[in-house]
Amino acid sequence: MSNEERTFIAIKPDGVQRRLVGDIIKRFELKGFKMVGMKFIKAPESLLKEHYADLKDRPFFPGLVSYMTSGPVVAMVWEGFNVVKTGRVMLGETNPADSKPGTIRGDFCIQVGRNIIHGSDSVESANTEINLWFKPEELCSYTSCSSSWLY
């Protein structure tokens, strides 16, 4: 399939603490995307500083890193047709107040500082983030039995 791609999705510490992991995974599975990698990790500060390097000059950067190291994160790689763009739509706007009902942030979040989930914003950033969080051998390639019913 020509538009099959991968994206990086991370459930942030507030999403883990609020026990939303299963609900979020269910949404991606019901949509038809295929999980090819997942890990439950207390992300080290060095990893988060590299992940959010493009925000290092912003005044909220230290608080962001502190928040992201405050508890475990569920890091995932999802695969499917236009999964980056569709995944971003499923997440909703960065500011939950701007997110529509039916999106993850629209349904579960109130404040931008606790928006429970991260999703890659482009194929290029997805590839960078996947390589930052996962080793190649931690990702599984397989054909889902539902593939022919979706595509």
Side-chain angles (χ1 to χ4, degrees):
M1 186 175 343
S2 62
N3 284 358
E4 185 147 318
E5 58 195 27
R6 288 180 172 178
T7 193
F8 176 76
I9 301 289
I11 303 172
K12 298 176 181 180
D14 53 327
V16 173
Q17 291 291 336
R18 292 180 54 205
R19 299 179 183 96
L20 297 173
V21 174
D23 289 325
I24 292 168
I25 290 172
K26 183 177 181 178
R27 288 178 183 227
F28 280 85
E29 288 182 329
L30 289 174
K31 184 69 176 176
F33 294 128
K34 178 174 69 172
M35 183 188 296
V36 296
M38 181 172 79
K39 58 172 76 170
F40 187 64
I41 180 175
K42 184 104 168 41
E45 187 175 313
S46 59
L47 173 63
L48 294 164
K49 284 182 174 179
E50 190 171 352
H51 178 88
Y52 290 112
D54 60 320
L55 303 173
K56 70 177 186 235
D57 296 326
R58 305 292 291 269
F60 59 82
F61 181 74
L64 173 62
V65 172
S66 176
Y67 151 63
M68 290 296 293
T69 59
S70 67
V73 171
V74 177
M76 299 174 284
V77 180
W78 290 91
E79 187 175 275
F81 181 76
N82 289 327
V83 69
V84 173
K85 180 180 179 183
T86 305
R88 293 287 291 189
V89 171
M90 291 170 62
L91 267 57
E93 301 299 319
T94 302
N95 184 346
D98 298 330
S99 294
K100 293 183 172 149
T103 65
I104 292 168
R105 291 177 179 142
D107 290 350
F108 299 125
C109 304
I110 296 171
Q111 178 182 14
V112 71
R114 297 292 181 264
N115 67 7
I116 73 168
I117 195 162
H118 166 85
S120 301
D121 61 6
S122 68
V123 173
E124 297 76 26
S125 67
N127 291 331
T128 299
E129 292 169 350
I130 291 166
N131 289 328
L132 183 62
W133 287 78
F134 289 88
K135 297 174 187 163
E137 62 270 16
E138 294 176 313
L139 301 176
C140 298
S141 290
Y142 64 99
T143 301
S144 171
C145 62
S146 63
S147 181
S148 64
W149 296 105
L150 291 165
Y151 302 110

